Amino acid sequence: VVLGSLAYHGDVVISYPGEKVDAGNLGLLTRRSPTELGRFKHIERPRDIPIPAIMALCRLVGVNENLVKKKELHKDMLRATLERCSGLIDRTVKRIQWLKNVPELWGMDMVDDARAKKHQEALGKLKDFLEGIQAYDNPAKLVNFRYSEDEVSAQQSRITILDMLDRREKLFSEFQSLVSYINQAEVLMPDNHPWRTSAQDAKGELAKLLAEDDPSQESARSVERALKIARGEYVNAYIDL
């Protein structure tokens, strides 16, 4: 019992013939009979945690990487890291579902089918990675951290996709009411009215914006101005009918 507790807290590794038991595989002890539990060969000090990989994980999720350098701070570091990972999992799951039913603006998908499929695949890999991190719920388990520094850093491009899709949903929220208004205006305005040219120009600007992977704020505001101009011109044109 004492050795099991020490192993759980990462203070020792228990060596048996053919296997070693540490904080990461403590369940192996439950498979042994009381007699077998006492037949260990020796105990040894645990390996050090892979500091570069753990620091990369902290940078990835926005936790102070300097916490990794002091063992007494590993518990706080891990708690903050797991909280951040949990939040990212929730965001990732939500965004994967969003990509399966992408909203439209003016008959145009916010993300085209090809990009939606590509992004779903990337976010699926990010989700698998983040869920894998949840297994390291004890600082002592970090000695068995199975991801290399490069493997951790490679997830940044997937988090970038997640951030980009969040911004795209925000664009939808900002433009939806304007576009809906102009859609209704198109129904009411005569087919040959000159205002339709303004509306189609605004639609063209929106189409170009949605074709970009990650539109800039400047581009988004330019399209917003075009939509508002079309709305204003419709009001004036309708009054003159």
Side-chain angles (χ1 to χ4, degrees):
V1 175
V2 173
L3 284 180
S5 177
L6 290 172
Y8 173 80
H9 291 288
D11 296 319
V12 300
V13 175
I14 309 171
S15 179
Y16 286 97
E19 65 184 7
K20 293 183 179 182
V21 178
D22 59 20
N25 61 356
L26 204 60
L28 293 177
L29 292 180
T30 63
R31 303 176 189 173
R32 295 177 177 273
S33 67
T35 301
E36 290 175 325
L37 286 173
R39 291 177 179 170
F40 60 90
K41 294 192 300 182
H42 59 271
I43 59 174
E44 58 189 65
R45 292 183 179 276
R47 304 189 311 274
D48 290 333
I49 68 170
I51 289 179
I54 304 300
M55 290 181 72
L57 177 62
C58 288
R59 290 194 297 272
L60 181 74
V61 301
V63 172
N64 185 353
E65 63 185 280
N66 291 320
L67 296 176
V68 181
K69 299 176 182 178
K70 296 183 178 181
K71 187 174 181 179
E72 63 270 22
L73 298 178
H74 284 180
K75 187 174 181 179
D76 291 337
M77 175 273 295
L78 188 57
R79 182 177 62 252
T81 298
L82 292 178
E83 287 176 355
R84 294 293 181 88
C85 285
S86 179
L88 282 169
I89 290 172
D90 290 343
R91 285 179 60 200
T92 302
V93 170
K94 175 185 176 183
R95 202 50 64 206
I96 289 173
Q97 291 301 315
W98 187 82
L99 286 168
K100 292 178 180 178
N101 189 23
V102 176
E104 292 183 351
L105 273 179
W106 220 328
M108 298 177 286
D109 288 333
M110 291 298 296
V111 181
D112 63 58
D113 289 344
R115 282 189 294 176
K117 184 177 180 181
K118 180 181 177 182
H119 293 335
Q120 282 186 64
E121 182 179 347
L123 294 184
K125 292 179 179 179
L126 175 62
K127 176 176 172 287
D128 290 343
F129 170 80
L130 294 169
E131 289 178 340
I133 298 299
Q134 303 299 305
Y136 302 97
D137 56 358
N138 179 338
K141 294 182 180 181
L142 292 175
V143 298
N144 296 316
F145 193 72
R146 67 186 181 92
Y147 302 100
S148 68
E149 181 179 5
D150 288 343
E151 287 174 321
V152 174
S153 298
Q155 305 303 318
Q156 182 58 59
S157 62
R158 292 161 186 159
I159 291 180
T160 297
I161 290 172
L162 185 62
D163 293 338
M164 179 267 292
L165 291 174
D166 285 350
R167 288 190 290 272
R168 189 154 290 237
E169 184 181 39
K170 183 180 178 182
L171 276 181
F172 176 78
S173 299
E174 292 175 346
F175 290 168
Q176 185 180 23
S177 62
L178 271 172
V179 169
S180 295
Y181 184 95
I182 297 173
N183 284 162
Q184 291 298 315
E186 285 184 305
V187 174
L188 298 173
M189 191 63 70
D191 291 342
N192 60 349
H193 197 284
W195 171 80
R196 288 187 173 276
T197 300
S198 177
Q200 288 304 308
D201 288 345
K203 184 176 183 179
E205 291 298 313
L206 178 61
K208 288 191 290 185
L209 184 79
L210 296 182
E212 298 179 23
D213 281 334
D214 191 15
S216 67
Q217 281 293 310
E218 182 180 359
S219 296
R221 297 290 73 80
S222 176
V223 172
E224 184 179 26
R225 285 193 295 272
L227 291 170
K228 287 181 176 179
I229 288 172
R231 182 183 63 184
E233 289 180 350
Y234 165 75
V235 171
N236 293 331
Y238 187 78
I239 293 173
D240 293 336
L241 286 179

